[in-house]
Amino acid sequence: MQGLTDGGALSWSWDKTLRVWDGQNGQCLAVLEGHSHAVWGARQLADGRILSWSEDSRLRVWDWQKGECLAVLEGHSSKNYGKVYGAQELADGRILSWSEDRRLRVWDWQKGECLAILEERHSPEIWGKSWGEPLYAQELADGRILSCWKDSRLRVWDWQSGQCPVVLEGHSPEIWGDLLYAQELADGRILSWSEDKTLRVWNAQNGQCLAVLEGHFFKVEGARGLADGRILSWSWDKTLRLWDGQSGQCLAVLQGHSSGVRGAREL
């Protein structure tokens, strides 16, 4: 099927629906209804279909041109509905999702089948509440899955076996749990950043921390690896920093913003 029209847009809402829009004339091309709670996110798949996920603990795959739901992926659950925080398409067309129920799942959406459940059973508790929720996940170049968790750890999974052979530990948790994100660098190492004001570079094979990048004096909002191997980070301390991606040395501090820096990219 075709993808969204040129300049088109996909939106999702607390009203439980998704909409597809013509970006040229503002016309609504499709209303996708079926979720029973707020839709938390959506994305277009490689074949043009749309994947959505919701507070109702379900994911749905849509043929947006027909307004038809092709698959409902059920399995995430918790006493709070098990809202699905995020999902993405893997390289082979399968779907990866993560939820407040402390699990990641891999799906064959065409069969409506859950192929793997990735679950961390040993997350710590703070004030009696488990902090073991996955915040974000992504597929690595070698097919394994990297996940960032609210307990300030990163985990690397072999999803086919359901095993987690590598745990990346070092970021310091806050009382309310760290905001922690990561990305794979071009050479296969992992870059992570956190509310603990630091960035870290990791060996994804054995979990070794290769470098700690310290200098920001407020939480790190984001980071990315640059084409020349350096690392760019930005923070609520109003600065950006350039780092040597191997040694972790700070090469430059970019100052000028009068408030926290929300994002940056290489031109």
Side-chain angles (χ1 to χ4, degrees):
M1 66 179 294
Q2 294 180 347
L4 300 181
T5 55
D6 291 341
L10 169 65
S11 63
W12 51 94
S13 168
W14 289 95
D15 68 10
K16 310 173 191 176
T17 72
L18 301 94
R19 288 176 179 258
V20 179
W21 306 86
D22 187 313
Q24 302 301 316
N25 58 27
Q27 179 185 359
C28 180
L29 303 175
V31 180
L32 308 179
E33 299 179 284
H35 284 296
S36 60
H37 289 76
V39 182
W40 274 56
R43 65 173 68 228
Q44 191 168 29
L45 302 178
D47 62 8
R49 294 177 174 86
I50 288 172
L51 170 68
S52 63
W53 51 95
S54 165
E55 191 174 313
D56 66 11
S57 79
R58 297 173 177 85
L59 300 95
R60 289 175 178 260
V61 179
W62 309 83
D63 180 327
W64 69 267
Q65 291 177 316
K66 296 179 180 179
E68 178 183 353
C69 180
L70 303 176
V72 181
L73 307 180
E74 300 183 84
H76 284 298
S77 63
S78 84
K79 62 182 180 181
N80 296 319
Y81 300 115
K83 60 176 70 93
V84 181
Y85 288 143
Q88 67 172 231
E89 185 176 18
L90 301 179
D92 61 6
R94 294 180 173 89
I95 301 297
L96 168 67
S97 63
W98 52 97
S99 163
E100 72 169 353
D101 67 6
R102 301 172 59 186
R103 297 174 178 89
L104 299 93
R105 287 177 178 259
V106 178
W107 310 83
D108 181 328
W109 74 262
Q110 292 177 318
K111 296 179 179 178
E113 178 183 355
C114 180
L115 303 175
I117 302 174
L118 310 179
E119 181 176 7
E120 175 51 59
R121 301 176 182 271
H122 304 292
S123 296
E125 292 193 352
I126 300 177
W127 289 358
K129 180 176 180 180
S130 172
W131 241 229
E133 295 176 18
L135 291 167
Y136 176 71
Q138 66 183 84
E139 185 177 22
L140 300 179
D142 62 10
R144 295 181 300 163
I145 290 171
L146 171 68
S147 59
C148 305
W149 292 65
K150 242 182 178 180
D151 63 9
S152 79
R153 294 175 175 89
L154 300 97
R155 294 168 172 84
V156 180
W157 304 84
D158 178 340
W159 72 262
Q160 292 178 319
S161 69
Q163 298 300 307
C164 177
V166 180
V167 179
L168 310 180
E169 299 184 78
H171 283 292
S172 302
E174 303 284 336
I175 190 64
W176 293 111
D178 263 349
L179 293 175
L180 176 70
Y181 292 92
Q183 68 170 219
E184 185 175 19
L185 298 175
D187 59 9
R189 295 178 300 156
I190 302 298
L191 169 66
S192 64
W193 56 94
S194 166
E195 268 191 348
D196 69 5
K197 309 172 192 174
T198 72
L199 302 93
R200 288 176 177 256
V201 180
W202 310 84
N203 183 317
Q205 302 303 316
N206 60 21
Q208 179 185 3
C209 181
L210 303 174
V212 181
L213 284 52
E214 297 181 284
H216 285 296
F217 56 88
F218 205 60
K219 70 177 181 179
V220 182
E221 179 69 13
R224 65 176 67 237
L226 303 182
D228 62 6
R230 293 178 301 165
I231 290 169
L232 174 67
S233 65
W234 51 96
S235 166
W236 282 101
D237 66 11
K238 307 177 187 178
T239 72
L240 301 92
R241 287 177 178 255
L242 281 169
W243 311 83
D244 183 303
Q246 297 297 325
S247 69
Q249 178 185 359
C250 182
L251 304 174
V253 181
L254 312 181
Q255 297 176 294
H257 285 291
S258 60
S259 189
V261 184
R262 294 295 305 274
R265 68 174 65 248
E266 187 175 15
L267 296 178

